Amino acid sequence: MAARSKSSSVASPRWATPPTDGRPNRLDEFVRISRRLGIELMPWQRRIVEVGTEYDPGTGLPFFRDVICTVPRQSGKSALVLCWEVHRALMWGKPQRIVYTAQTGWDARRKLIDDHAPMLERNLGPAVKRVLRGAGNESVVFAEKFGSRIDVQATSVDAGHGRTLDLAIIDEAFSDTDDRREQALLPAMATRPDAQLLVFSTAGDQTSAYLRRKVDAGRASVESGKREGIAYFEYSAPEDADPDDRKVWWSCMPALGETITEGVVAHARDTMSDGEFRRAYLNQWVSHQEQLIPQSAWADVQDSSAVVEGRRVFGVSAAMDRSASAI
């Protein structure tokens, strides 16, 4: 199947908060910012910005305090996060304190300092005053006329104490087994009526307790028809979808034909485990671990008599290369 043109993308979200007629949004501002950064927003990114930035024309306050989005990997969520940060920093009309978090403090640092900061320095020129790279103090500081900054924050519960935040990003939320990142951020946003929390991720597994809660809340918000509080978007394949069917790929991967090709996805299908391919590229929830030993083989060697009282039983485990063993 030949690669499709950008205009022929057929991916659509399975859950999505729709735009509300008559509400203004900040999409045009976003487009200007993204183009200054050398980024052309894809249709799925525009859709999220259009809804996620809807605001009350009387107060200027966003209708959605939470914007939650789950998409397959390599869809361009990092570019969308960067545009959202820069829009806040430069276009909000007052100084903004922005915090970016990832799976770990180190992952967040690499994204902000190694990936985003060079783009900002290269494309925004004097709007960026300086980039702080010292461990524990990683930040992008914007010029005095804006007064904004983007900081990296650790993932501990007390990491945000003493701060006041206007925009907080929880990236790769699938890695969170509890709510500690959100618990660190929400109190710092409590006094900001226009604050927003962005949660971006690919699907998780049964250990992804935080993301599961956000996904359930987001789906429920869409299904109930709510138009404020939570804006939710999910691009995923149904649980019974055939992972080898390329029509399934096109139906749930919003960047296919834009920034990734069928060939890349086909290679991933050939080289990744089934569960990880489903999670990463179909955005499906999977079990925590795939068994290296097939279930049928495991069942064949089970000995129910080993649990009979009065018998002494030894268990032996050895590495396949015989480098180690345990009794």
Side-chain angles (χ1 to χ4, degrees):
M1 184 175 181
R4 303 186 183 190
S5 67
K6 291 184 177 182
S7 61
S8 61
S9 175
V10 295
S12 59
R14 292 176 66 206
W15 284 269
T17 302
T20 299
D21 290 342
R23 285 183 181 176
N25 61 63
R26 304 184 187 278
L27 177 59
D28 289 344
E29 296 175 2
F30 258 80
V31 170
R32 294 202 299 272
I33 287 293
S34 69
R35 288 175 177 168
R36 281 193 65 182
L37 293 170
I39 297 168
E40 192 65 39
L41 293 178
M42 290 179 274
W44 78 268
Q45 295 167 322
R46 286 172 170 261
R47 182 174 194 159
I48 292 169
V49 171
E50 179 185 11
V51 177
T53 64
E54 289 181 349
Y55 64 93
D56 185 327
T59 63
L61 300 180
F63 279 104
F64 301 102
R65 197 164 177 91
D66 279 19
V67 179
I68 307 165
C69 177
T70 71
V71 289
R73 286 179 57 189
Q74 306 302 320
S75 292
K77 64 180 176 60
S78 292
L80 180 55
V81 165
L82 177 60
C83 293
W84 216 300
E85 292 172 333
V86 175
H87 175 267
R88 269 275 180 165
L90 303 186
M91 305 289 286
W92 209 252
K94 59 182 178 180
Q96 297 290 290
R97 189 68 176 265
I98 301 156
V99 159
Y100 174 80
T101 72
Q103 303 99 306
T104 67
W106 176 246
D107 288 310
R109 182 198 188 282
R110 286 196 306 172
K111 179 63 68 175
L112 180 64
I113 300 303
D114 297 344
D115 296 346
H116 289 173
M119 289 181 63
L120 298 179
E121 292 178 307
R122 181 171 62 251
N123 294 298
L124 298 183
V128 177
K129 182 178 180 181
R130 63 181 180 274
V131 176
L132 305 178
R133 294 178 169 84
N137 193 38
E138 298 91 344
S139 302
V140 174
V141 181
F142 292 90
E144 281 82 356
K145 65 178 291 186
F146 304 109
S148 302
R149 62 186 291 155
I150 305 171
D151 294 306
V152 165
Q153 182 164 299
T155 57
S156 60
V157 174
D158 60 352
H161 285 192
R163 291 184 174 184
T164 300
L165 302 179
D166 300 287
L167 176 67
I169 296 99
I170 295 180
D171 198 6
E172 304 295 8
F174 76 88
S175 66
D176 291 15
T177 58
D178 55 35
D179 291 5
R180 70 183 61 192
R181 268 203 278 177
E182 185 174 270
Q183 289 172 0
L185 297 168
L186 291 187
M189 302 165 66
T191 61
R192 298 297 208 206
D194 58 351
Q196 284 187 302
L197 174 70
L198 309 185
V199 179
F200 286 90
S201 189
T202 301
D205 55 43
Q206 70 261 34
T207 69
S208 308
Y210 172 72
L211 181 60
R212 183 76 261 176
R213 180 172 68 80
K214 302 301 281 191
V215 165
D216 289 345
R219 290 177 177 179
S221 179
V222 173
E223 291 169 0
S224 68
K226 289 185 66 176
R227 300 295 180 91
E228 59 183 331
I230 299 173
Y232 181 73
F233 307 88
E234 178 181 329
Y235 286 82
S236 64
E239 287 69 21
D240 60 352
D242 180 359
D244 295 311
D245 186 346
R246 298 194 176 199
K247 292 180 180 178
V248 171
W249 301 356
W250 283 96
S251 73
C252 68
M253 300 181 193
L256 190 57
E258 298 267 357
T259 59
I260 55 175
T261 65
E262 278 193 357
V264 169
V265 181
H267 177 72
R269 179 61 178 151
D270 290 339
T271 57
M272 298 173 73
S273 68
D274 181 70
E276 186 55 21
F277 177 82
R278 288 175 179 273
R279 190 191 74 82
Y281 284 92
L282 303 186
N283 199 28
Q284 293 177 328
W285 286 74
V286 299
S287 60
H288 175 45
Q289 293 288 347
E290 293 190 339
Q291 290 180 278
L292 296 178
I293 302 173
Q295 182 63 36
S296 58
W298 183 258
D300 287 343
V301 298
Q302 300 307 298
D303 181 7
S304 60
S305 66
V307 299
V308 176
E309 291 186 13
R311 296 187 60 188
R312 181 170 295 172
V313 178
F314 292 91
V316 180
S317 175
M320 294 185 69
D321 63 0
R322 299 185 180 183
S323 62
S325 62
I327 300 175

